[in-house]
Amino acid sequence: MKKSSISLAICLALASSAVLAGSVVTTYDLVTTTTNTGKTSKNNTNAYAGLNWSMGGSWTPSVVLGVFRTHVKSDGDTQGANLAFHLNLAGGIKPGKLKLSYLNGKEDVQGELGIGYDFLKGAPLLGLAVNLPFVALGANGYLDGTIDPFATLH
């Protein structure tokens, strides 16, 4: 089981590195749907897979599977949502987190405010992050006062 977890992490890391090395973004998106609503805006739905490192945990990343749904106006103003499910790889594959976040900002940079549940800690969470192309940096806070910074490649 440990070998399969490590193999999965390596495969996903290699797939992510190809994206970061400058390959075409559409090869990375699992599903992309764009709807033009006239000259003033467009709606995007992108499914993605990524890797998440928690700074308070081990160096083994979790796998993130998610969907972005955004509404982008012609001036670049962007609003939307991000639904993300994390699979923990450390110590075997287990559900990690489930988080739904509100996105607001510009087309290439958004702030993120999310709520979710951490299955490993058995606790609800509140997340704050900044989304950049292919990267999110942020922190999840818990009711016991702990804060868990993270970095995600998506």
Side-chain angles (χ1 to χ4, degrees):
M1 180 62 112
K2 188 172 184 174
K3 283 186 179 181
S4 63
S5 298
I6 292 170
S7 298
L8 178 63
I10 290 169
C11 289
L12 289 171
L14 291 173
S16 296
S17 65
V19 170
L20 297 174
S23 66
V24 179
V25 174
T26 54
T27 62
Y28 179 71
D29 292 335
L30 299 176
V31 175
T32 300
T33 304
T34 301
T35 306
N36 288 324
T37 56
K39 293 183 179 180
T40 59
S41 65
K42 66 180 177 178
N43 295 314
N44 297 314
T45 303
N46 295 350
Y48 66 91
L51 297 174
N52 177 274
W53 286 268
S54 173
M55 303 308 159
S58 74
W59 284 101
T60 304
S62 60
V63 174
V64 183
L65 303 173
V67 177
F68 283 113
R69 172 73 176 163
T70 56
H71 178 77
V72 182
K73 294 182 181 177
S74 60
D75 64 358
D77 287 347
T78 302
Q79 291 189 59
N82 177 21
L83 178 63
F85 178 67
H86 297 239
L87 287 168
N88 186 45
L89 299 178
I93 298 174
K94 296 178 267 200
K97 298 177 184 81
L98 179 65
K99 185 165 58 170
L100 178 62
S101 300
Y102 169 71
L103 305 171
N104 194 339
K106 291 292 184 180
E107 194 168 7
D108 56 351
V109 178
Q110 304 96 35
E112 179 178 320
L113 174 62
I115 58 170
Y117 190 78
D118 187 323
F119 295 101
L120 298 174
K121 293 185 178 189
L125 62 88
L126 178 65
L128 292 172
V130 174
N131 281 310
L132 303 165
F134 309 112
V135 178
L137 302 171
N140 292 317
Y142 298 89
L143 295 175
D144 65 0
T146 59
I147 295 176
D148 184 18
F150 66 84
T152 303
L153 295 177
H154 53 71

